[in-house]
Amino acid sequence: MNKSQAASPKQKHQLAEMTFVEFRERIAGDPVILIPLGSQEEQGPMAPMGDFMLTQAIAGRVAEAAEAIAAPILPFGYADYFRPIPGGIQLKPETFRAVLMDILENFLDHDLNRLVILNGHSGNYPLIDQTIRQVKRTRGVIVPCVNLWRLMTPAMWHELHGDFGPAAFAHGGDPITSVSLHLVPELMRMDLITREEGKGKMIGLPTVGLAGVRFRDVEVAAPVDITDRCTNGIAGGDPTRSSAEIGRQITDYIVEYCTAFVRHFATIDPTTGNGEF
């Protein structure tokens, strides 16, 4: 078989797998580049701490479906409330912002402006917001961020969990537990699964998630750590209700949503900073 008869290589969608020649050829078509962000943190006693693996897998599927390119994931995020538990790796706020800005600028400096962040850790978002606003001000480029685990609507939660509904959405509950059962079942320890054990107090008031305390039925912000909230790393929800099938449905929905958004973003000019009316 001569070179003219050889099959063309399969198109790659993971930047880490490309040679620089392959990437140079791909960027001639001005593709959307996905910037996946995650976290290394406890997810209850039954799920692996590297929840960034889920975002990495989803980003790869979206890149292939949308003809985009997925950059390597940043596996560490801002998750200071998990610092009391060993094994987590949390970045300081200033470190996270600086690293994210460096990542974005490495593409922007080559006039690669179609960048979409796929964020797999909700705690990252306030710092992402600061960073993408700085990019808009200084570079004139709009970098949208899709917060993966907050894409499900209340109606969807009821469809997935019946009367339990949106209460299933919690740290140590879903979507992470079900998506992990779907994507990395071999890493799960369902023999260790429990429900939330204890609901802690701070300054004499019940904690609310990992954001604060409740006073007169209103949330007051406070520096709650996971160990202030509960004893087993499960801060709400009920992981015993999770399943691989629910995880498949959640994953399929997230991939479809992100694929549609990326395809839309590929059609617009990300350097248009003015509002549209």
Side-chain angles (χ1 to χ4, degrees):
M1 180 181 293
N2 58 39
K3 290 184 179 180
S4 63
Q5 295 173 316
S8 300
K10 181 180 179 181
Q11 182 166 263
K12 299 174 183 176
H13 297 283
Q14 297 278 4
L15 178 56
E17 298 175 356
M18 296 180 184
T19 71
F20 86 88
V21 175
E22 292 173 323
F23 185 62
R24 183 175 61 194
E25 292 172 348
R26 285 290 302 280
I27 62 178
D30 196 19
V32 174
I33 297 174
L34 309 178
I35 311 295
L37 306 176
S39 184
Q40 168 77 15
E41 64 184 52
E42 68 83 15
Q43 287 290 346
M46 65 286 169
M49 289 188 288
D51 67 45
F52 64 85
M53 294 184 289
L54 309 181
T55 302
Q56 187 173 33
I58 288 172
R61 295 186 184 190
V62 173
E64 184 170 2
E67 295 295 313
I69 296 173
I73 192 165
L74 176 61
F76 312 127
Y78 175 69
D80 209 54
Y81 27 80
F82 297 121
R83 192 175 291 274
I85 296 181
I89 301 176
Q90 294 85 30
L91 300 182
K92 295 181 177 66
E94 59 271 23
T95 303
F96 181 87
R97 288 195 302 268
V99 172
L100 178 56
M101 181 62 77
D102 283 348
I103 292 171
L104 297 175
E105 286 185 334
N106 273 273
F107 294 107
L108 294 170
D109 286 349
H110 291 277
D111 296 323
L112 299 171
N113 296 329
R114 297 190 188 279
L115 308 176
V116 174
I117 294 171
L118 300 184
N119 179 38
H121 171 58
S122 297
N124 291 338
Y125 184 68
L127 303 180
I128 295 171
D129 179 67
Q130 295 174 31
T131 306
I132 60 179
R133 287 180 182 279
Q134 182 178 350
V135 169
K136 181 184 176 184
R137 288 194 303 270
T138 61
R139 306 295 290 256
V141 175
I142 297 171
V143 180
C145 172
V146 181
N147 290 304
L148 299 183
W149 308 129
R150 295 185 176 272
L151 294 180
M152 282 69 71
T153 64
M156 288 185 64
W157 282 117
H158 281 294
E159 182 178 339
L160 294 169
H161 280 282
D163 291 341
F164 199 52
F169 178 55
H171 181 81
D174 269 354
I176 294 294
T177 301
S178 285
V179 173
S180 294
L181 283 167
H182 172 56
L183 293 178
V184 290
E186 71 281 2
L187 301 180
M188 296 294 286
R189 288 289 308 275
M190 298 308 283
D191 58 307
L192 299 178
I193 196 166
T194 61
R195 293 183 173 88
E196 182 175 20
E197 295 176 356
K199 293 186 178 180
K201 290 186 176 182
M202 178 175 281
I203 60 172
L205 298 170
T207 58
V208 181
L210 298 172
V213 295
R214 188 177 302 281
F215 181 71
R216 292 185 180 178
D217 294 327
V218 176
E219 183 177 328
V220 177
V224 177
D225 287 331
I226 187 67
T227 48
D228 297 318
R229 163 74 188 195
C230 54
T231 59
N232 64 345
I234 298 175
D238 183 355
T240 66
R241 299 171 180 259
S242 302
S243 72
E245 173 56 24
I246 291 175
R248 182 194 65 78
Q249 293 180 61
I250 292 173
T251 300
D252 288 350
Y253 170 74
I254 291 175
V255 170
E256 187 281 327
Y257 180 98
C258 291
T259 298
F261 179 81
V262 170
R263 287 174 175 165
H264 164 76
F265 192 67
T267 68
I268 59 90
D269 179 3
T271 64
T272 303
N274 295 327
E276 298 178 13
F277 299 94

